[in-house]
Amino acid sequence: MTSYDSGLPPRLGGLTFHGPLSESRADRIAGRLAAAGPADVLDIGCGWGELLLRVLEAAPGARGTGIDINAEDLARGRALAESRGLADRVAFVEESARGTGLGPADVVLCLGASQALCEPGQPHDPAVALRALRSLVRPGGRVVLGEGFWERTPTGAELAGMWPGAHIGDHLGLGALVDLTVEAGFRPVWTETASTEEWEEFESGYRHDTEVWLAARPGHPLAAETRERTDRRRSAWLHGYRGVLGIAYLTLVAVA
């Protein structure tokens, strides 16, 4: 039964990836990873594991594991794997990434989930996350890190329009972020960043099904709170981080 059938607001059903990542870029990343001949792939904070599944499709000799704490996303990942004939080569595990014993692997994916590797209750620290990722990948293996960075220094008004408590220290510039990867024991072999088109596809897709649901059900008991949450997220993008917050996709090789 879909969210529409149940009368509840849909959740992310219109998205292929939970982030500003195009299918063409994802396929290029998967192809580069597959060319290295990995035996195993570990996806940290995998969600429904779309990139993980694409890597496995490109590398038919590899097996994969995705870990996340969202049971709904993991169930979606299992269904996608089944529909694509990959169910016997991938496992979706409900557990915390911090302290996981599932590594090391030949390829580690961590897209928008590095906070899961940091100390709970502490500010997000990409250096801590990178050290954890280094421990999860074999020497010579690849890590793909999807991480936020400031395209430029945000103004006070832009910070006020973002997420609650947004601070200039929440992110680094791209150069400083890449420097951290070297300090953590990697060589950055591919650096790319999300385009405006990818951001717009993601932000619009994130809300599309919910906006359609709201338009059709203005008097639904959940409409008011859903409308407020959706309007707040759209405002944070358009009045806050649009053109300010970037996403870097860094392909890293672990130094032997």
Side-chain angles (χ1 to χ4, degrees):
M1 178 179 290
T2 67
S3 297
Y4 287 109
D5 296 331
S6 66
L8 296 174
R11 180 183 179 274
L12 308 182
L15 291 178
T16 301
F17 299 98
H18 195 175
L21 177 64
S22 65
E23 295 199 41
S24 58
R25 189 188 303 277
D27 287 341
R28 290 194 298 271
I29 292 172
R32 289 196 296 268
L33 295 174
D40 46 13
V41 184
L42 176 63
D43 192 347
I44 302 295
C46 65
W48 51 86
E50 178 64 33
L51 184 58
L52 169 61
L53 296 178
R54 292 187 185 221
V55 174
L56 296 180
E57 287 172 329
R63 303 183 67 84
T65 303
I67 62 175
D68 205 293
I69 58 173
N70 187 302
E72 181 181 349
D73 285 349
L74 292 170
R76 179 176 170 181
R78 294 185 190 105
L80 287 171
E82 183 69 33
S83 70
R84 286 147 77 168
L86 296 170
D88 62 338
R89 294 173 50 209
V90 64
F92 288 92
V93 181
E94 186 175 351
E95 71 168 47
S96 170
R98 184 169 170 78
T100 181
L102 290 174
D106 288 336
V107 170
V108 179
L109 309 174
C110 183
L111 275 66
S114 63
Q115 68 279 358
L117 296 166
C118 297
E119 186 73 34
Q122 297 298 312
H124 174 238
D125 187 339
V128 170
L130 282 162
R131 288 194 293 271
L133 288 169
R134 182 61 188 82
S135 72
L136 292 171
V137 65
R138 296 187 182 100
R142 270 62 170 173
V143 167
V144 176
L145 174 67
E147 186 71 24
F149 70 96
W150 293 131
E151 296 268 13
R152 59 171 173 79
T153 302
T155 66
E158 287 166 339
L159 284 168
M162 297 182 193
W163 50 90
H167 185 270
I168 194 170
D170 290 344
H171 296 288
L172 300 170
L174 180 59
L177 176 62
V178 174
D179 288 347
L180 280 183
T181 71
V182 176
E183 292 173 16
F186 294 103
R187 299 304 303 178
V189 296
W190 207 278
T191 300
E192 52 195 314
T193 63
S195 67
T196 299
E197 182 179 0
E198 286 173 305
W199 269 109
E200 291 175 347
E201 185 78 12
F202 168 62
E203 292 289 346
S204 296
Y206 189 94
R207 284 176 294 280
H208 175 270
D209 288 356
T210 302
E211 294 286 15
V212 171
W213 185 92
L214 284 167
R217 298 167 176 82
H220 191 281
L222 296 177
E225 64 181 83
T226 302
R227 187 180 303 110
E228 191 277 334
R229 182 175 63 251
T230 303
D231 290 350
R232 184 172 64 246
R233 171 68 190 249
R234 183 181 60 252
S235 179
W237 172 46
L238 294 176
H239 298 290
Y241 59 85
R242 185 175 188 270
V244 182
L245 176 65
I247 296 290
Y249 297 109
L250 307 178
T251 302
L252 313 170
V253 175
V255 177

